[in-house]
Structure formats: structure tokens, C-alpha cells
Amino acid sequence: MAAALALGAPSASAERLPDTIDRVKPSVVGVATFQPTRSPRADYLGTGFVIDDGRLVVTNYHVIPETLDQERRERLVVISGEGRNTEVHHAEVVARSVDHDLALLRIAAPSLPALRLGSSDSARVGEEVAFTGYPIGMILGLYPATHRATISARTPMVIPARSSAELDERRIRALRNDPPMVFQLDATAYPGNSGSPLFRKGSGEVIGVINQVFVQGGREAAIGQPSGISYAIPSDRIRPLLQEYRNQSGN
């Protein structure tokens, strides 16, 4: 009987997950465009999370709009907080990687709580992790949702281009010959989860960035008939962006 009870007991990481979520949530933000004359003024694009000095935000490159309507004062923003108790932060793109579908944003003060980047190289197939983001955006307010996941594989992934202008010869050759490796997850994510941090249940260290879901059909199918297969970019791909930003800013 004692052995049976031991086998059925929850793991230590599972017991710590609620505490980890409490620490992670303040660092998870919405990425949006903001236009003062529009209704609603904020147009939600995806999820992001805060790192480093509390003023850098990681998200997916495909989340960032190609253009902004300058005449109508549209701007890129990051939205922090929860529910309807939120704060809007002006943001600018300071580094990007089209090939790895990552973007680094710099937000206006004040700083926000930052997450720690872990080593994605140490992540193992079969490891249980979690991710937090905004799967349905800001329809009812900004309410973060957390989903459990299992790393099921490391697999090559072709990052989709947003437009034909991004499909130059160099990029096509690189994707064909040396496609980036990503985590395949046994988890259900939704389009709004793009940019969500994938983190370890116990420590909260970020080891990946949710960027795609496997779908058969369009966006509606991803929401109405999710496949349960999602993908995340390893967090080690963020560090070159950080270095690029520091080199440019002199930090």
C-alpha cells in the first residue's frame, strides 16, 4: 500500500507549479497596437514576456506589424497588468531575427518584473513544462492562462514568412539546408499564445517561446479544433538578440 501511495503522489515540480505561475504572471504581457481614435484603442497581436532589466520584452517576429498608421498616431505598445487593471507601455523593436521568428522590444519606464532565461540545451524530451499567455487575447480583459506541456521532440521547423518580401534567396537556402531546431510540444496552444514563455514548472526559468500550432485548416480550425501539437523556439536563440541590442546601445 505504501508503494502504491508513493507512486500516486504528485511530483515536487507539480506541487510547486501554482507558486511558479504566481511568479511568472507579472512578467507576461500583451503585445498590441494602440490608436487613440480607434475603438477599441488597443488591437491585441500576441503575447510577450519581460527579461533582463525589466524593460526588454521578447515576442515572436510574426506578431510585430509590418507597418503602423503614422497619420492616425498608431503605435506599438506592451500592455501589463491583469483584467482591466492594466498599463500601456510605448514599445519599439530593438532587435529581431526573421529566421528564428523572434523580436526584442524596449519599453518605456517603469520597469516590470523580469523572467530568467534558462538553458534550452539542457531541456530533455519527456520533460514537463508550462507556458503562460493570452490564448483569446483581450476580449474580456487581460487574463493570463497557463497550460501544461510535455516536450515530445526536438524537430526542424521552417518558420513561415509574413510576406513574399521576406523570402530572399539567402533565407530560402538557409531554411532548406539548416532549418532551425524547435521544441515540439504535446500541448494545446492557440494563435494568441504566440510569444508566450515556455518555462520549467519548479524554477520558472524560460526555456522556449511558443510560436506555432499544428493545424489542418485556417485560424478558425486552430481555435475550434486544436490538434494538441504546438511548437516553441529554444530560449538560447534569444541571447544573440540581447547581445545585438547591447552592442547597438553600448550597454
Side-chain angles (χ1 to χ4, degrees):
M1 179 64 67
L5 288 174
L7 289 172
S11 67
S13 63
E15 290 178 332
R16 293 196 301 267
L17 181 57
D19 293 330
T20 302
I21 293 170
D22 287 342
R23 297 198 309 272
V24 166
K25 283 198 302 181
S27 303
V28 179
V29 297
V31 179
T33 59
F34 184 88
Q35 186 177 313
T37 58
R38 185 171 60 197
S39 181
R41 292 180 294 175
D43 182 16
Y44 173 80
L45 303 171
T47 302
F49 59 94
V50 182
I51 62 168
D52 199 59
D53 64 354
R55 291 182 59 192
L56 292 176
V57 172
V58 177
T59 189
N60 289 144
Y61 175 73
H62 79 256
V63 164
I64 305 302
E66 294 188 69
T67 58
L68 295 171
D69 190 341
Q70 304 291 347
E71 290 186 1
R72 291 181 170 83
R73 294 183 294 161
E74 185 181 33
R75 55 195 174 100
L76 183 66
V77 299
V78 158
I79 304 176
S80 63
E82 187 169 345
R84 299 193 180 277
N85 183 22
T86 58
E87 185 172 354
V88 177
H89 310 255
H90 175 71
E92 61 175 328
V93 181
V94 294
R96 69 192 75 197
S97 171
V98 179
D99 291 348
H100 294 106
D101 194 22
L102 290 172
L104 188 65
L105 313 181
R106 181 75 173 172
I107 63 172
S111 298
L112 298 172
L115 296 180
R116 180 182 173 186
L117 295 180
S119 171
S120 52
D121 282 348
S122 65
R124 304 177 64 189
V125 172
E127 184 174 350
E128 294 184 351
V129 290
F131 57 92
T132 298
Y134 304 104
I136 59 171
M138 297 186 294
I139 296 174
L140 302 175
L142 207 62
Y143 294 97
T146 298
H147 301 265
R148 298 170 184 260
T150 301
I151 299 175
S152 56
R154 286 178 182 261
T155 181
M157 187 64 153
V158 175
I159 306 299
R162 298 185 306 183
S163 67
S164 59
E166 294 176 358
L167 291 174
D168 57 37
E169 183 179 350
R170 180 206 61 80
R171 185 169 188 237
I172 293 173
R173 184 168 57 251
L175 292 174
R176 181 186 299 118
N177 298 333
D178 187 24
M181 299 297 289
V182 297
F183 295 126
Q184 180 177 310
L185 306 174
D186 183 5
T188 298
Y190 298 91
N193 279 121
S194 291
S196 298
L198 180 73
F199 56 89
R200 290 195 160 103
K201 289 183 177 181
S203 67
E205 289 184 335
V206 177
I207 60 169
V209 185
I210 300 294
N211 86 309
Q212 286 195 66
V213 296
F214 177 78
V215 296
Q216 292 181 326
R219 184 183 179 91
E220 293 77 12
I223 297 173
Q225 298 176 310
S227 67
I229 299 174
S230 303
Y231 298 92
I233 304 154
S235 60
D236 287 344
R237 301 291 180 264
I238 299 169
R239 291 186 171 87
L241 292 185
L242 271 173
Q243 191 59 52
E244 179 184 333
Y245 165 71
R246 289 168 180 159
N247 291 343
Q248 292 174 351
S249 63
N251 292 342

